[in-house]
Amino acid sequence: MFLKSETCECPHDFSLQESFLILATDIIKRVLYAMVTENSELTTNLSCEDAHYNAQSTNRFYELLGQEVDQNHLVVKENNALRVDFNGSIEVGVGESSEKVASYNFKKGVTVLEGKKINPITAFFRIGITHALPWSYKETDSSGKTFWTGYCVDFTDELARLMGFQYEFVEPKSGTFGKKRNGVWDGVVGDLASGETDLAITALIMTADREEVIDYVAPYFEQTGITIVMRKPVRKTSLFKFMTVLKLEVWLSIVGALIVTGFMVWFLDKYSPYSARNNKEAYPYPCREFTLKESFWFALTSFTPQGGGEAPKALSGRTLVAAYWLFVVLMLATFTANLAAFLTVERMQTPVQSLEQLAKQSRINYTVVKESDTHKYFINMKHAEDTLYRMWKELTLNASTDDTQYRVWDYPIREQYGHILLAINDSNPVQNASEGFRIVDEHTDADFAFIHDSSEIKYEISKNCNLTEVGEVFAERPYAVAVQQGSHLQDEISKTILNLQKDRFFEQLQAKYWNHSSKGSCPTTDDNEGITLESLGGVFIATLFGLALAMVTLVGEVLYYRRKRKVQSSEKKKSKVVSVPETWKPGNLPVALVNKEKPPVTFGTEFKPVDRNRDLSDLGHIKLYPRARNRITQVTNN
């Protein structure tokens, strides 16, 4: 769309400002010449340095000026000022031709022709951007074309939609965010200060030195800062980890105490005159007999919740058992407490929990990105500590006798950042964040830390299950949109950002780029996690081993029992002897045994027939074995 004059055609090299200045000067020259001709007094008083002329001269000047302007159709007088009198048509390009849609007059303004419509011109801005995960970074599509994406890119799209402008991203030719070199800024800040870009939307931190050359609008992200990332320690899994709670010598001592106690229980029960074995009169009822095997079983089962069972009866044996039970209680309590502490310490995510703890130890190395904002932060804090120390030293040494309150010989401020910066320099700062994350991931023993921007660390943790954030965010600084100094966009962008905050737009972006949905595939290692099977799997293995051993023992018992029974049966047959009384001659056998093939079995050394006239009612089944179903009514004795 362009403005076309209805009275003249402007040449290609036409300059409106230059032509208007020449025309206005010529008009004023003619007016002054007319005033000089009419009034000679004006000639002597005419001076550019005079601030005031008389009312008559002023009125005459404006009167003559109005006459000259009325004779010139290119200039118009408005409120004692000269302006260009535009009168033309507004045409909109359609293909290779143009179409008139409105006319323009300086006094009437724009008049839209009937049946025509003028669409507003869409603003176009050049926006500075640079690489910073996950704020703004490049990706490649299937066709091989690269494009910008990230938190700031989505934010820019929404900002352009609400404010109605088009844009293109401009990456700085030198530098990234902006550094001052020899008094000149480079990077995004330098392009914005020089007018190469209209605004900058990237991970740009608000600092006082940058505000000397650019302006910031309301922050759109206020939770950034510096934090620490470390590798989660790799747990050394062992099915018999519970056995490592106590040292080998402790386990051997427990076994030795069990054996000695079992032997002593047997010894005391055997030789004490007051034991159940040696004092049958005091204990006529069945009592537990503490053989050597039973004594060891008693000592072993005393470690179980149900206890060892019936205790010895003698006072000496009970004294020994009481002391042994005290030993068992203390050992079980010690093992339980140490097992709980052992498993809790094992589940700790990181050996340090803050920057202070990291600075106090020497086992874990740590570093930053070289010449980054984080590196500069520690450098500045170290310089601040040095300055405070020098001021304290001068104040303390130069204190007069009256200023005794300043004579403090112990430095009251903790020196921390100097040690941190020294450790960083010893570990050699890395060139970029990717290298820092890689080094942390390679240290599986969690003995290396990387100090960097918290937002980038959170983004990397959401993608890598092996990393974890340590401590709280410190040195918090907000991110904000930057514009040129005095830009008219500042107020409008600020209002739009406030509306987006009200609509929770930034929370949606944060959930998109820092969500932990990918963590679903990561192994859970939270502190509220239960004890894993790998830690106590040996307990189940020991139980299964005991079950298998019991089954093997059962098979052994059955085989042993069968073998023993077979041997006893064989020996019984061999030792079986028929005993015949001398009174039993071949012709004098009882009638009941005459027809029997097997000889009778004799109990005792002699056989005495029962008197048939004797009363047999007092004979029981114990005296008469085997018990007969009918009474013996007759015994033949020849």
Side-chain angles (χ1 to χ4, degrees):
M1 183 175 66
F2 58 91
L3 178 67
K4 182 178 179 181
S5 174
E6 296 181 347
T7 57
C8 65
E9 294 289 340
C10 299
H12 177 70
D13 56 349
F14 175 74
S15 175
L16 179 61
Q17 293 82 0
E18 182 180 356
S19 300
F20 174 74
L21 183 60
I22 294 174
L23 181 61
T25 304
D26 184 65
I27 292 175
I28 293 174
K29 182 179 69 174
R30 289 199 299 269
V31 171
L32 293 177
Y33 180 78
M35 292 183 66
V36 171
T37 304
E38 294 176 359
N39 188 358
S40 58
E41 184 180 355
L42 184 62
T43 305
T44 57
N45 297 331
L46 184 61
S47 175
C48 294
E49 297 179 356
D50 290 344
H52 181 71
Y53 291 95
N54 58 54
Q56 182 179 1
S57 300
T58 302
N59 294 334
R60 182 56 181 168
F61 174 81
Y62 286 116
E63 181 180 357
L64 294 175
L65 181 63
Q67 294 176 1
E68 290 291 334
V69 170
D70 292 340
Q71 296 177 5
N72 194 320
H73 63 278
L74 297 178
V75 182
V76 62
K77 177 175 173 294
E78 181 182 18
N79 297 329
N80 298 329
L82 299 181
R83 299 180 182 275
V84 178
D85 186 11
F86 284 107
N87 293 286
S89 61
I90 300 175
E91 297 182 0
V92 177
V94 180
E96 296 181 356
S97 61
S98 61
E99 178 184 5
K100 183 178 179 181
V101 295
S103 61
Y104 176 81
N105 184 272
F106 178 78
K107 295 181 179 180
K108 296 181 180 180
V110 177
T111 303
V112 181
L113 301 180
E114 185 178 356
K116 303 296 182 181
K117 181 180 179 181
I118 300 179
N119 295 322
I121 299 176
T122 303
F124 183 85
F125 300 129
R126 290 166 57 87
I127 300 178
I129 196 172
T130 188
H131 180 84
L133 285 171
W135 305 98
S136 51
Y137 55 96
K138 289 183 178 180
E139 287 188 350
T140 306
D141 56 15
S142 57
S143 61
K145 183 180 179 181
T146 59
F147 60 94
W148 286 98
T149 185
Y151 184 102
C152 292
V153 176
D154 293 350
F155 170 43
T156 304
D157 291 339
E158 186 67 15
L159 200 66
R161 185 185 67 83
L162 296 176
M163 295 178 58
F165 65 84
Q166 296 179 352
Y167 65 91
E168 69 172 343
F169 288 119
V170 178
E171 191 173 5
K173 297 179 180 179
S174 62
T176 54
F177 296 101
K179 294 180 181 178
K180 197 172 184 180
R181 304 179 187 276
N182 300 324
V184 180
W185 286 88
D186 62 358
V188 173
V189 176
D191 290 348
L192 194 60
S194 62
E196 291 292 329
T197 56
D198 300 295
L199 64 155
I201 304 179
T202 185
L204 195 63
I205 299 175
M206 299 178 66
T207 59
D209 54 346
R210 290 174 179 174
E211 284 190 305
E212 295 177 356
V213 293
I214 60 176
D215 288 339
Y216 286 100
V217 300
Y220 63 87
F221 194 88
E222 300 181 358
Q223 301 175 356
T224 187
I226 303 174
T227 188
I228 306 169
V229 62
M230 294 182 63
R231 169 69 186 261
K232 293 180 182 178
V234 178
R235 299 182 183 179
K236 298 179 180 179
T237 59
S238 175
L239 294 177
F240 295 93
K241 189 179 290 289
F242 69 96
M243 295 292 293
T244 61
V245 176
L246 302 178
K247 297 293 185 179
L248 179 61
E249 56 268 21
V250 179
W251 286 113
L252 295 177
S253 300
I254 294 175
V255 175
L258 188 149
I259 295 174
V260 172
T261 303
F263 178 80
M264 288 300 298
V265 169
W266 167 79
F267 181 83
L268 294 177
D269 187 76
K270 181 177 180 179
Y271 293 101
S272 174
Y274 296 100
S275 64
R277 178 189 303 183
N278 300 327
N279 194 3
K280 298 291 184 179
E281 297 178 358
Y283 305 100
Y285 49 85
C287 297
R288 185 176 186 179
E289 185 178 355
F290 284 92
T291 62
L292 193 59
K293 181 182 70 173
E294 194 69 16
S295 299
F296 284 127
W297 178 251
F298 173 82
L300 179 62
T301 54
S302 295
F303 278 95
T304 60
Q306 70 270 15
E310 184 181 354
K313 301 300 183 182
L315 180 61
S316 58
R318 291 187 175 185
T319 304
L320 173 65
V321 169
Y324 180 68
W325 281 348
L326 178 62
F327 165 77
V328 169
V329 170
L330 294 178
M331 290 306 303
L332 289 177
T334 303
F335 178 80
T336 304
N338 282 274
L339 178 62
F342 185 83
L343 296 177
T344 301
V345 172
E346 179 203 16
R347 288 157 55 196
M348 291 179 60
Q349 296 297 318
T350 53
V352 294
Q353 298 296 329
S354 63
L355 180 66
E356 289 76 12
Q357 294 181 7
L358 189 66
K360 291 178 181 178
Q361 56 81 45
S362 58
R363 185 182 70 87
I364 302 175
N365 297 325
Y366 46 92
T367 188
V368 298
V369 176
K370 186 177 182 180
E371 297 183 357
S372 62
D373 293 334
T374 303
H375 197 185
K376 291 180 179 179
Y377 169 78
F378 288 110
I379 294 175
N380 295 336
M381 293 300 293
K382 193 263 182 184
H383 289 168
E385 283 184 344
D386 294 343
T387 303
L388 291 175
Y389 178 77
R390 185 175 62 255
M391 295 175 62
W392 167 84
K393 185 177 179 181
E394 293 177 356
L395 181 65
T396 302
L397 297 178
N398 297 331
S400 61
T401 55
D402 297 334
D403 298 331
T404 57
Q405 66 270 24
Y406 296 116
R407 291 189 173 183
V408 182
W409 301 110
D410 293 332
Y411 186 50
I413 300 177
R414 180 179 56 187
E415 295 180 283
Q416 172 177 302
Y417 293 96
H419 298 297
I420 294 177
L421 187 61
L422 182 61
I424 289 174
N425 294 332
D426 291 341
S427 300
N428 296 326
V430 296
Q431 297 298 323
N432 50 61
S434 300
E435 183 179 356
F437 289 121
R438 178 186 59 80
I439 296 176
V440 170
D441 196 21
E442 291 176 352
H443 286 72
T444 58
D445 294 333
D447 55 353
F448 194 87
F450 180 47
I451 308 175
H452 194 56
D453 180 76
S454 62
S455 58
E456 190 168 350
I457 285 179
K458 286 182 173 64
Y459 177 74
E460 193 68 25
I461 290 175
S462 66
K463 296 167 53 181
N464 192 337
C465 300
N466 297 328
L467 304 181
T468 182
E469 185 179 3
V470 177
E472 300 292 335
V473 178
F474 59 94
E476 296 184 1
R477 295 166 294 180
Y479 288 155
V481 177
V483 297
Q484 296 179 2
Q485 284 189 335
S487 175
H488 67 283
L489 298 172
Q490 187 172 4
D491 294 337
E492 188 175 359
I493 294 177
S494 298
K495 293 178 181 178
T496 306
I497 290 177
L498 293 177
N499 291 331
L500 291 176
Q501 290 177 343
K502 182 181 64 176
D503 297 337
R504 308 178 74 88
F505 172 76
F506 295 108
E507 294 182 9
Q508 298 175 10
L509 287 184
Q510 185 173 354
K512 177 180 179 181
Y513 289 98
W514 284 280
N515 69 20
H516 291 70
S517 58
S518 60
K519 292 274 184 181
S521 58
C522 298
T524 56
T525 56
D526 297 334
D527 290 339
N528 56 0
E529 176 195 357
I531 299 175
T532 60
L533 183 61
E534 289 80 1
S535 299
L536 296 178
V539 178
F540 296 93
I541 294 178
T543 305
L544 294 177
F545 176 77
L547 177 61
L549 184 61
M551 297 302 296
V552 173
T553 306
L554 175 62
V555 174
E557 288 177 345
V558 172
L559 295 177
Y560 176 77
Y561 176 76
R562 289 181 178 180
R563 183 178 178 277
K564 182 178 180 181
R565 187 176 180 183
K566 185 177 179 181
V567 172
Q568 289 178 351
S569 177
S570 177
E571 292 179 353
K572 186 175 181 181
K573 289 181 180 180
K574 292 180 180 180
S575 62
K576 200 172 188 181
V577 178
V578 179
S579 185
V580 180
E582 296 180 357
T583 57
W584 287 13
K585 301 300 181 179
N588 297 329
L589 290 175
V591 177
L593 302 176
V594 172
N595 299 324
K596 298 293 183 179
E597 297 180 358
K598 296 182 179 180
V601 179
T602 302
F603 297 91
T605 59
E606 60 181 353
F607 178 78
K608 294 181 179 181
V610 179
D611 187 3
R612 61 181 179 178
N613 296 324
R614 181 184 175 184
D615 186 10
L616 302 177
S617 60
D618 60 338
L619 295 177
H621 68 278
I622 298 179
K623 295 182 179 179
L624 183 61
Y625 183 85
R627 185 176 182 181
R629 293 181 179 271
N630 301 318
R631 283 193 175 185
I632 302 176
T633 58
Q634 181 179 1
V635 177
T636 305
N637 186 10
N638 295 325

